[in-house]
């Protein structure tokens, strides 16, 4: 890695700040023909006003686009900071070697058919990388689309997105593992007036990776919000630390990651490791660091833009105030809120009083149809109502879903000053086609975001609400009292008894139980514990005891227990370890708790609806371990079953005890580290509020060999 | 209502076909100033080439826009078919009276501040309606934005949407209770190349209502798909019949209805009547008639357009085949499918064989990244792969999420012929901004739909898949054997025993039970039924017996039963009717079944996940009663808990018996008619497959007075 000393002494390796804003650029394979990659690269450098020196490299031409051309990079009059290579794969190695010889600081390799294409390409990529490393020359790519840097007018790319005019500099930094997608998003954002700082397509990441450019963006003054398209991480823990750095720097991060649907499929499977699929862990870590994971790349760009150009979303969980001159557009807007996890605001009395000046009492409700104003839709009335909503404490943002009407552009122009004065976001949606263009022009002129789709606005609102929830750095969790060292246990799948000893060691309540080898021992144990009891057959080979007929619940007397013992014993195989008699726990509700060691992000805990429905409903929340009891409580309260726990019908369950249990489990996972493969408590029975929670069953698998 | 005889004899009332395509139009309040409503109306008639006679009405002008003007409609040289009135409310009554005197066939009243504005407006509206009725003159509106009829170039509206040029005629008919929203959607659709037949803004529906225009569209030759924005229905049963007529005519209907979010809130409440909120009943009826209820008006228009201009979606439940030259765009597209209830296709071997000609074996999977083609992205390879997907039986549609790249427009132009030859839909998504415009132009030139958003394409795919599911008319359900007449029962809330007798009368199995007044009677009853038993206290006043401590489950012997009897008896109030001893039913799973009489649509049944979670998860399906056992089974299989019922872990439950029970309940609801207020079976216990299902608890309320 680069160090300050090396840079100061030698300028090598070239720092990212210089790669992104080079003083000179050699274009290898330069051409006058914009139909060719190299022709487009030089065309776009010129079109977008690159202020540094452009060095066309082409052995057959004396000038290209009026600039002196050179046969090789090494023939250039000075060592170029950056060389852009869009040559056939067959020519790549020689050209990179020439760049290395020329003292090029970094090669941006657009050339594809390298590692992504198979073993031969991978070998070529390795050779190219070795040449670069040998010369302490950096590589961006290969198989990338280069760098867009409107701040420095350095558009180092062949992407057709550069056909757009006038990419003005802005605050959105982007790193993408897909160049084509990034180019599309730049053009899409540009249509909306979004403005970018530095955007990098990282391609195959032979040398510089997404994490390196994210590191740069986190400290880059020009970048104030970050959008990432990720396929896979090279260094997950560095990535997590960088997200933390972005939050500390006050920069919101919006992410789309490939692989969500695989995770969905995995979550439907039946054991903890599947529930904890890689995507879920990724999402949990991002959430823990305040980054927002989204599904739709287009919405991601709009969210990053809205985060910068709208006033900040005040706080998570506030309501929306839709207001426009059409009942149809405001009502359908309001109807779409719950599907995006959003809600209407509750109007304050002061707001009602303002609305009462403009409209009949019977029409004062959200959403507001300004068509019901006494004098018809009025700009003054609209402005006054919006001012009232901006001051209303339950209003997080105002939405104006505009329809075709006279003077749409004039009406639109009223809105940016109202949002800026009010200090809350205002979502202006212009759903119409060409007749809405004058409004869009007005909004671009006011440097204010607009939305072409209600669905876009809703996705962005949702993202900004989530971002608000993650803006503050939570206090570091403290280790709970009463955590004993984990007992010595074998590797592999543990018995229920072993797993319970493990969870009990960190202060989690477990059902009382006694191992028994005969009906007589069982009866004695039951009398000590107190009827009713549960009898379970113990076998290390059986994962789902209930399915194997090894669990008999609610045994109320000696006779029932003896009969159950006979039956369960008959089902146990030769590998079995006998039976246990357990306390029969009852409560108000049950939860599923789990812990895993994610190969990328380390220890994670999860909590979900208990019972068989966890697998159907995927009502699960995951977080990186450890978590505090407060964080654990928030995880539980975010579940869909939360209303049941809170006593939707019947008595409230002890969610406090469940949160304490989850926190303890998270510390156990954190302390076991890679030794823990997976552990789950299913169910944790929650008694009535104040009466605790108890682990009724537990399963765990430890790594066979503990790493020394 | 109009009849053929009257029309033939007198031409009155004017049929809708003539209102929509009038031979002459009087514009009351005509002006040269397009800043005024009346100025815009006449401007748009001229701009869009109205072929009939235009009669400007203005007492102060001899000519308007070069046309002879008349002081009043009654001064026109002929009785106009239609008069368009955009005059102040204060002038409306006199102008309508003059139109009536002039023999105008129908007034389109754009004027607002009528019934929607309060009592004074409502009274004015009534007077205007009375004048119209007296003259057998039809009214459209008031408070509407009129009629768009590109088929006949009759644009009878002041909507700014008519600023768009070149509304070419097409097959989408629309009726909307919001004029502003409709205008916006016309412009939005026009941007995408969608083409409309007749679109009507119905406003306050003083006379002609949404149902009347829907009736027209169902039989209108020019209309081949229908989009509806509905706030409330005037005649729900006629509406339902019209949806059936549209299906019979092969016309898909796409609907957005206001009020979805209220229904969501209502569904969270705790009793059947809430679960069966008005929106849910509306949606159920639409589904039963093959109409598709959507959330987003913009997506609705795109769906109607796609239904007409794309080849038909082959069948419900098929997979998608995304293919494009960007891994990023195809993977994110695929990741978004499950969130929209869609899935990737399973590729046939024949398809794999075709792909193997173009790409390395390791890259052959869905989604397809044509960037991995041996020769780089190739139009020939793209075309050949798309042809293979079109022939693949599991592929319902191909999706091409295009990114910025050279020759985007040329690549786009390849696609329409491939879709037409393949006979399956192809979704071309162009996410980029202005650099994508050439592709959009190419698609418009090919008269082929395009999508600006991945999210739009997904919403439309979802809608077309639902439409395919509802395309066929299901066979009429047959009354199950073994349904006895309903027993004579009092009005009001029934006891559990009465409710069970009611459900038992239609052949539904219920738990055996005996009413008891003493512990001795209870013990005797239990011995007859067989232990374990359940003891319940019976009180007409108690709705939630469990919450009131009136239910004791799993009593296994005389002692337990006597203790329970003492305790339950002590909790019963003076109004109570004693206790019952019931068989203790056990099974594999449980469901919630309900029936209501919806005030708009009549008898409905619903089924959902059993137990307390029904209220949290809203995992409920409703349908208009009666339903066949086949339909009932499909309802159950569509629930999220369906995998649990099918034996996700443990034995499969008897869903066949549950479907039979649901069908029987639906017939009971249909036969009770308005006498039934609500009835639910909660839970219905499903035994293992082949062993039946049994109603363990039932509640019902009957209307106090039966309508004679």
């Amino acid at each position: 890695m680069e160090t300050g000393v090396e840079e100061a002494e030698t300028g090598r390796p070239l720092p990212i700040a210089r790669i992104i804003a080079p003083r000179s650029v050699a274009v290898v394979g330069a051409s006058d023909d914009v139909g060719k990659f190299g022709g487009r690269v030089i065309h776009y450098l010129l079109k977008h006003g690159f202020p540094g020196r452009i060095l066309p490299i082409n052995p057959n031409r004396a000038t290209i686009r009026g600039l002196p051309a050179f046969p090789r990079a090494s023939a250039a009059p000075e060592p170029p900071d950056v060389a852009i290579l869009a040559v056939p794969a067959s020519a790549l190695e020689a050209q990179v070697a020439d760049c290395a010889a020329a003292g090029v600081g970094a090669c941006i390799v657009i050339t594809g058919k390298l590692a992504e294409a198979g073993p031969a390409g991978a070998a070529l990529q390795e050779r190219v990388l070795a040449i670069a490393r040998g010369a302490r020359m950096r590589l961006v790519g290969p198989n990338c689309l280069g760098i867009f840097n409107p701040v420095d007018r350095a558009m180092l790319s062949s992407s057709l997105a550069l056909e757009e005019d006038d990419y003005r500099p802005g605050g959105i930094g982007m790193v993408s593992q897909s160049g084509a997608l990034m180019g599309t998003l730049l053009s899409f954002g540009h249509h909306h007036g979004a403005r970018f700082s530095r955007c990098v397509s990282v391609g195959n990441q032979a040398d510089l990776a997404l994490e390196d450019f994210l590191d740069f963006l986190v400290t880059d003054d020009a970048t104030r919000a970050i959008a990432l398209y990720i396929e896979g991480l090279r260094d997950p823990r560095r990535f997590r630390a960088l997200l933390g750095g972005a939050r500390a720097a006050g920069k919101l991060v919006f992410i789309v990651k490939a692989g969500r649907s695989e995770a969905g499929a995995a979550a439907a499977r039946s054991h903890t490791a599947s529930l904890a699929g890689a995507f879920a862990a990724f999402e949990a870590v991002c959430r823990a660091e305040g980054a927002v994971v989204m599904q739709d790349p287009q919405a991601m760009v709009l969210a990053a833009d809205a985060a910068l150009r709208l006033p900040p979303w005040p706080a998570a969980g506030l309501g929306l105030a839709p207001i426009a001159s059409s009942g149809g557009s405001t009502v359908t807007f309001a109807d779409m809120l719950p599907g995006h996890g959003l809600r209407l605001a509750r109007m304050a009395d002061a707001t009602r009083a303002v609305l009462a000046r403009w409209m009949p009492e019977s029409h004062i409700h959200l959403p507001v149809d300004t068509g019901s104003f006494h004098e018809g839709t009025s700009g003054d009335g609209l402005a006054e109502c919006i001012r009232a909503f901006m001051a209303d404490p339950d209003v997080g943002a105002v939405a104006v879903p505009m329809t075709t009407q006279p003077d749409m552009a004039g009406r639109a122009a009223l809105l940016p000053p109202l949002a800026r004065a009010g200090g809350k976001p205002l979502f202006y949606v212009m759903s119409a086609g060409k007749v809405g263009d004058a409004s869009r022009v007005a909004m671009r002129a006011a440097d204010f975001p607009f939305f072409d789709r209600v669905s876009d606005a809703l996705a962005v609102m949702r993202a900004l609400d989530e971002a608000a929830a993650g803006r503050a750095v939570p206090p570091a969790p403290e280790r709970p009292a009463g955590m004993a060292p984990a007992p010595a246990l074998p590797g592999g799948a543990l018995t229920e008894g072993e797993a319970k000893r493990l969870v009990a060691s960190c202060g989690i309540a477990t059902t009382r139980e006694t191992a028994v080898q005969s009906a007589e021992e069982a009866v004695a144990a039951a009398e000590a514990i107190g009827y009713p009891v549960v009898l379970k057959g113990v076998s290390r080979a059986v994962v789902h005891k209930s399915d194997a007929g090894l669990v008999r619940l609610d045994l109320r007397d000696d006779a029932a227990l003896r009969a159950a013992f006979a039956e369960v014993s008959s089902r146990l195989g030769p590998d079995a370890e006998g039976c246990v008699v357990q306390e029969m726990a009852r409560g108000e509700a049950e939860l599923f708790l789990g812990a895993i060691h994610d190969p990328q992000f380390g220890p994670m805990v999860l909590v979900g609806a208990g019972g068989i429905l966890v697998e159907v409903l995927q009502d699960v929340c995951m977080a990186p371990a450890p978590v505090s009891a407060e964080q654990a409580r928030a995880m539980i309260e975010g579940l869909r079953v939360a209303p049941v726990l809170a006593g939707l019908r019947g008595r409230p369950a002890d969610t406090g005890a469940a949160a304490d249990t989850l926190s303890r489990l998270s510390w156990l996972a954190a302390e076991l580290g890679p030794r823990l493969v997976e552990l789950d408590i299913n169910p944790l029975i929650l008694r009535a509020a104040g009466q605790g929670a108890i682990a009724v069953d537990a399963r765990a698998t430890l790594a066979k060999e503990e790493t020394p």
Side-chain angles (χ1 to χ4, degrees), chain A:
Chain A
M1 295 303 305
E2 49 194 270
T3 69
V5 173
E6 283 181 324
E7 283 169 34
E9 285 176 5
T10 70
R12 287 301 187 91
L14 197 66
I16 285 179
R18 253 313 257 295
I19 300 173
I20 271 179
R23 293 174 202 165
S24 54
V25 174
V27 180
V28 180
S31 165
D32 281 321
D33 179 0
V34 297
K36 297 184 173 162
F37 277 96
R40 281 204 301 280
V41 170
I42 208 156
H43 173 66
Y44 294 144
L45 282 167
L46 292 166
K47 170 182 162 82
H48 294 283
F50 178 62
R53 185 161 182 184
I54 302 174
L55 302 158
I57 308 298
N58 185 322
N60 305 317
R61 301 286 304 275
T63 63
I64 287 174
R65 299 292 297 256
L67 296 166
F70 304 92
R72 316 172 292 285
S74 55
E78 61 182 278
D81 277 353
V82 163
I84 307 178
L85 291 85
V87 297
S90 56
L92 183 64
E93 193 171 355
Q95 292 292 352
V96 170
D98 183 68
C99 288
V104 166
C107 288
I108 297 174
V109 184
I110 295 172
T111 305
K113 299 294 168 198
L114 280 294
E116 84 282 8
L124 172 58
Q125 182 170 315
E126 279 305 311
R127 293 198 301 276
V128 167
L129 179 61
I131 294 167
R133 290 239 160 103
R136 305 182 65 217
M137 178 173 76
R138 306 306 310 241
L139 290 183
V140 182
N143 188 31
C144 77
L145 273 175
I147 294 171
F148 300 68
N149 175 0
V151 172
D152 298 297
R153 284 177 287 143
M155 304 303 221
L156 315 173
S157 170
S158 61
S159 170
L160 270 284
L162 291 171
E163 291 292 326
E164 300 276 358
D165 299 318
D166 191 26
Y167 275 109
R168 288 182 298 150
I172 306 173
M174 191 176 346
V175 190
S176 173
Q177 284 181 254
S178 167
L181 183 61
M182 186 174 92
T184 309
L185 295 178
L186 288 169
S187 166
F188 175 76
H190 190 57
H191 162 76
H192 288 84
R195 290 184 283 113
F196 300 89
S197 57
R198 300 57 149 70
C199 303
V200 183
S201 155
V202 294
N204 293 0
Q205 309 183 91
D207 173 25
L208 287 166
L210 180 133
E211 290 87 342
D212 297 308
F213 291 102
L214 175 57
D215 199 343
F216 172 78
L217 295 180
V218 167
T219 54
D220 174 35
D221 287 341
T223 300
R224 294 179 297 117
I226 297 171
L228 303 174
Y229 169 66
I230 300 174
E231 296 190 341
L233 294 171
R234 174 182 291 180
D235 186 345
R237 300 193 189 210
R238 181 180 175 209
F239 175 76
R240 182 176 175 184
L242 289 168
L243 294 185
R247 171 157 66 183
K251 300 182 183 187
L252 294 182
V253 182
F254 300 91
I255 303 173
V256 170
K257 182 174 179 300
R260 172 186 291 273
S261 53
E262 286 173 20
R269 284 177 222 136
S270 67
H271 56 90
T272 313
S274 298
L275 283 171
F279 189 87
F282 175 86
E283 201 164 32
V285 163
C286 291
R287 193 186 316 112
E289 300 299 341
V292 179
V293 180
M294 303 178 70
Q295 290 201 41
D296 182 345
Q298 293 177 294
M300 171 178 72
V301 167
L302 298 180
D305 178 44
L308 292 185
R309 293 201 294 152
L310 288 177
W313 191 274
L318 295 177
L320 272 293
I323 176 168
S325 60
S326 156
S329 80
T330 51
V331 168
T332 52
F333 189 96
D335 271 349
M336 288 172 75
L337 291 173
H340 290 76
L342 300 165
R343 66 172 176 87
L344 288 176
R346 289 174 287 267
M347 221 189 287
D349 289 344
T351 309
R352 285 184 183 280
V354 172
L355 266 60
R357 293 209 282 275
W358 296 92
M359 59 205 299
E361 193 68 36
S362 58
H363 288 60
I364 299 177
H365 54 69
L366 279 170
V368 175
D369 175 4
T370 64
S372 64
F373 281 1
H374 299 301
E375 305 305 316
T377 297
S378 140
D380 288 348
L382 177 69
E384 196 170 311
C385 292
I386 288 176
R387 272 184 220 108
F389 286 126
M390 289 280 170
D392 191 323
D394 193 51
V395 171
V398 171
V400 182
M402 188 71 83
T403 48
T404 46
Q405 59 182 266
D407 193 26
M408 282 181 278
R411 201 50 56 89
L414 293 176
L415 303 174
L418 290 168
R420 288 171 183 142
K424 289 180 182 174
L426 185 151
F427 291 81
Y428 175 78
V429 187
M430 173 35 69
S431 298
K434 210 167 96 184
V435 298
D437 280 348
S439 315
R440 297 181 181 103
V441 168
M443 287 311 208
R444 269 193 293 258
D447 194 15
F448 198 82
F450 62 86
F451 298 86
D452 290 341
R453 296 287 188 290
V454 168
S455 52
D456 286 343
L458 292 166
V460 170
M461 288 174 181
R462 177 76 221 138
L464 295 184
D465 192 71
E466 283 181 29
R471 212 156 41 196
V473 181
E478 285 179 30
R479 194 167 186 273
M483 289 199 53
L489 288 167
L494 303 185
T495 63
E496 178 181 336
E498 290 165 345
K500 279 179 166 169
R501 274 201 286 141
L502 187 57
V503 302
S505 73
C506 57
I508 294 172
T510 59
T511 45
R512 280 172 292 151
E513 65 182 51
T514 307
V516 297
Q517 299 295 337
S518 68
E520 281 60 43
E521 283 182 26
V523 168
E527 277 162 10
I529 289 169
Y531 283 107
V533 296
V534 176
L535 184 79
K536 294 181 181 172
V538 179
S539 170
R540 212 175 281 278
V542 177
V543 173
H544 295 302
K545 288 189 287 286
S546 295
D547 296 356
L550 299 182
V551 178
R552 304 302 303 259
L553 300 172
D554 200 17
L555 304 167
R556 302 195 187 182
D557 53 33
D558 292 0
L561 178 55
R562 283 177 195 279
F565 185 88
E567 188 180 332
V568 168
S569 298
S570 73
R571 290 172 187 256
L572 281 171
D575 59 326
E577 323 206 342
C579 291
V580 291
V581 173
Q582 286 181 2
E583 166 188 7
M584 172 86 189
R586 292 187 189 278
E588 301 300 316
E590 60 183 64
L591 287 173
F592 162 94
L593 272 55
I596 57 154
H597 189 84
D598 183 78
Q600 292 205 301
F601 293 104
M604 313 287 299
V605 282
L606 62 166
V607 61
I612 201 166
L613 289 182
V614 65
E615 297 158 21
V616 174
L617 302 175
Q618 302 169 22
D619 185 19
V620 172
C621 182
M622 182 185 277
V627 295
S628 67
E630 288 72 13
Q631 290 167 325
R633 183 186 276 274
M635 291 170 71
I636 293 168
E637 287 173 351
L639 296 175
R640 284 203 306 232
V641 295
V644 172
L645 306 180
L648 177 72
R649 182 162 322 147
R651 291 188 295 176
D654 198 336
T655 46
D660 177 68
T661 306
L662 185 58
S663 171
R664 289 175 184 278
L665 181 65
S666 77
W667 279 95
L668 178 63
E671 292 177 6
L672 285 171
R675 177 108 208 274
L676 177 69
V677 176
E678 57 174 333
L679 188 164
D680 58 56
I681 298 172
N682 188 16
L684 179 80
I685 298 260
L686 281 59
R687 299 205 180 98
Q691 295 178 28
I694 186 163
V696 166
D697 199 352
R699 291 189 301 129
T701 303
L702 299 183
K704 293 273 187 191
E705 292 282 303
E706 194 165 359
T707 314

